Every structure is written in C-alpha cells, then in structure tokens.
Amino acid sequence: MGTPLDTAPQHGPRPLPLFLSMLRSETLNDPHRRARALEGLRAFQDAPRLPRAPAPAAITRDGRVALRDYGGTGRTVMVVPSLINPPFVLDLAPDNSLLRWLAGQGLRILLVDWGTPTPDDRGMDLGDHARVVARLCGTLDEAPLLVGYCLGGTIALAAAALAPVAGLALIATPWRFDGFGDAGQAAIADVWNAAQPTADRLGLLPMELLQSMFWQIDPARTVDKFVRFADVDPAGPAAQAFIALEDWANGGAPIPYAAGRELFDDLFDADLPGRGRWCVDGRVVSPHPPVPMVEFVAESDRIVPAASAIGLSDRRIVPAGHVGMIVGRRGRSVLWEPLAHWLTAVPRYREQPNP
C-alpha cells in the first residue's frame, strides 16, 4: 500500500522540494539568510511535538464525513471548516481552541470533519459537500446555527438553501471571487492549470498543490519565519505554538477532483457566486437566505481578501489575519467573544409557513 496523500515522510514544509526551490530563489543574493533559514528549518523538523488531544467521538457519519461532538449544553451550533487544511486549527491546543471555548459558553458545539477522500470520491463537487452538511443538519433535534470558516462558509451558505438552519455566522468566507484581484486570480489560475492534469489522473487534488499557491502569496514571509525560528528555543511555549500552527498548515487531506475543478473554474475564474449564478440542486445559492446572518472579515487577510466577502449589513471587521483571528493572541477578544455573543442572541428557528 502506498503512502496516503494526507501524510508526509517529514515534518513540513510540504512539499519540501518546492519549498527548497523557493528558498533558493528568495535568498539568491543573501547566503547568510539562506543558511539561517536552513538552520531554522532543521530545528523545526527536529523539534519535539506535544501530543494533540484526540478528536471527540462522532455522533453520526455521512459516508467519510463525521459529525464530532465537542460538548456543551444549549443551542446547537454546527461548525463547517474549509476543505483545505485539517479542521484542527479550530481546536489547535488545549489553551487555544475556539471549539472547546465555545462549548463552555452555553452552546452545544458540533464539528463537520470531512475525513479523507479517495479516488472513488472524484465526482464529489462543492454542492455534494453542501448536501452532506444539509443531511447532517437533518439528523439533529433542532435546526442548528451554522458557523462556516473560509471555504466552509461558502459551503454552509449552500447548505442553508437545502435544510432549515437557525442562523449563519461566516468567518473569513469568500463569496465575491473577483475580490481576489486580477493578479491574484491570474496566479491562482496558473496553479490550477499546472495541477489540473495530475489531479484529473489521481481523481484528487493533493494538498501539496494547494500549498504551493499559498506560498506564492508572500514567499519572502514564508522563508523569513524559518530564519526567525533559528533563534528560538524549540521546546519553549512560543516555539510550540509556531510548530502546532505550521504542522496544521502543512497537513490536510486531498480534495475530490470535482470539488477542486469547481473551486478553480466556477468560483475563482468565473466568480459564479459573486455574479449570482452559482447553482446547487438547480437553484441559485443566495448570499442572503432568510435567516439571521453575520460575517467576520479579517482586516489583514492574505488568504481571503476582505474584498471577497459578501458585504452583509452585519459585517464585523476583525483586526487580525486569516489564521490569527482564530488562534492569535487577540483571537478571544476580537472574534471568539463577539461570535459567542451573536450565537447566543439568535432566536430559535421557527419554520416558515407555506405561502
């Protein structure tokens, strides 16, 4: 049996050959910086890893997708993560877990865990993922509040058109894909054009191909964080926080080919959601379903630009980046607490009478 696509033979960066090529290019005229980055890289790879808390048990499954129970009592909240990178950024460490913290705020927290697709899942597009979320909603005793992070928010919006939900909270969620700008869209198109033949043959879009796209956003910053790590005690708390986040960023299962094709061709390239033309089950997905909604937009987001958000009337600008709003030192005050306040204030779902 071959090595699964969601594992790597060494701690990141992943894929390592591409990172080393980028490092050589970025440090072409600075051998000292290159040497320090390589020292930091070796220290990062050799550093001890604290054990992660095991994922909570699944209360139900839909194929490979599990619905995991993070506990808590009160309103039911279903959190929908992105398909890109693992969901544990929402549960990064015992003292830095949005999910476990929310479970202590009078809310029952459930997480959609997408699992690991296989080539048999090649035909599962974004609409199919939304249908899974909708079916999971139907297994609950009450219509849940949906919280979507990144692409998970886009999927949650589609799910809200297929199943009753009590409300929608979107975090760093792209919708107007022309908000990535001409240069950003062109760079993303280049990645997809290079990756598409391989993904088609595999039936899956490997995480390594997506990682290369993220690195190109700011290659100098990607290299410099390892330069800085060369001077850090790898067993200290700051280093362990960095390691946990980097291990998350370098992890993740592949994406089914159909979902990748739809993401790049229909969303990034054609901007079907932003133009009001993205359809699931033959109906246009509305960015304004008739339920309470809020969006939290990261002010300095390098992954999902603020310009790509929907622009809801209840729009909260968070003074942080795409990941920092979830796990940064100010995350609790700038995102966790406002999100919990909004969730606890939403009225319970009442089924609308037929017209």
Side-chain angles (χ1 to χ4, degrees), residues 11 42-52 229 232-244 247:
H11 294 299
R42 174 54 60 88
F44 168 76
Q45 292 183 325
D46 293 344
R49 261 65 177 172
L50 297 177
R52 290 196 64 252
F229 195 79
V232 177
D233 174 7
Q240 286 300 310
F242 174 83
I243 289 166
D247 283 349

Side-chain angles (χ1 to χ4, degrees), residues 35-160:
R36 295 297 285 162
L38 290 171
E39 288 177 32
L41 174 60
R42 174 54 60 88
F44 168 76
Q45 292 183 325
D46 293 344
R49 261 65 177 172
L50 297 177
R52 290 196 64 252
I59 60 170
T60 190
R61 290 181 179 273
D62 190 304
R64 64 178 165 83
V65 182
L67 188 61
R68 301 196 180 277
D69 191 348
Y70 275 78
T73 57
R75 299 292 302 281
T76 300
V77 178
M78 184 184 295
V79 181
V80 184
S82 179
L83 296 179
I84 303 169
N85 293 118
F88 71 77
V89 69
L90 303 166
D91 182 30
L92 193 64
D95 61 348
N96 195 4
S97 171
L98 171 60
L99 299 179
R100 297 180 194 272
W101 183 85
L102 285 174
Q105 307 303 309
L107 298 163
R108 184 193 180 198
I109 302 301
L110 306 174
L111 173 71
V112 176
D113 183 342
W114 297 115
T116 302
T118 71
D120 291 340
D121 296 306
R122 67 170 295 128
M124 189 174 184
D125 63 13
L126 298 178
D128 291 320
H129 287 80
R131 282 185 278 274
V132 168
V133 174
R135 289 195 296 268
L136 291 174
C137 289
T139 67
L140 304 175
D141 293 334
E142 65 173 340
L145 293 155
L146 290 187
V147 175
Y149 177 48
C150 190
L151 184 61
T154 314
I155 293 170
L157 268 165

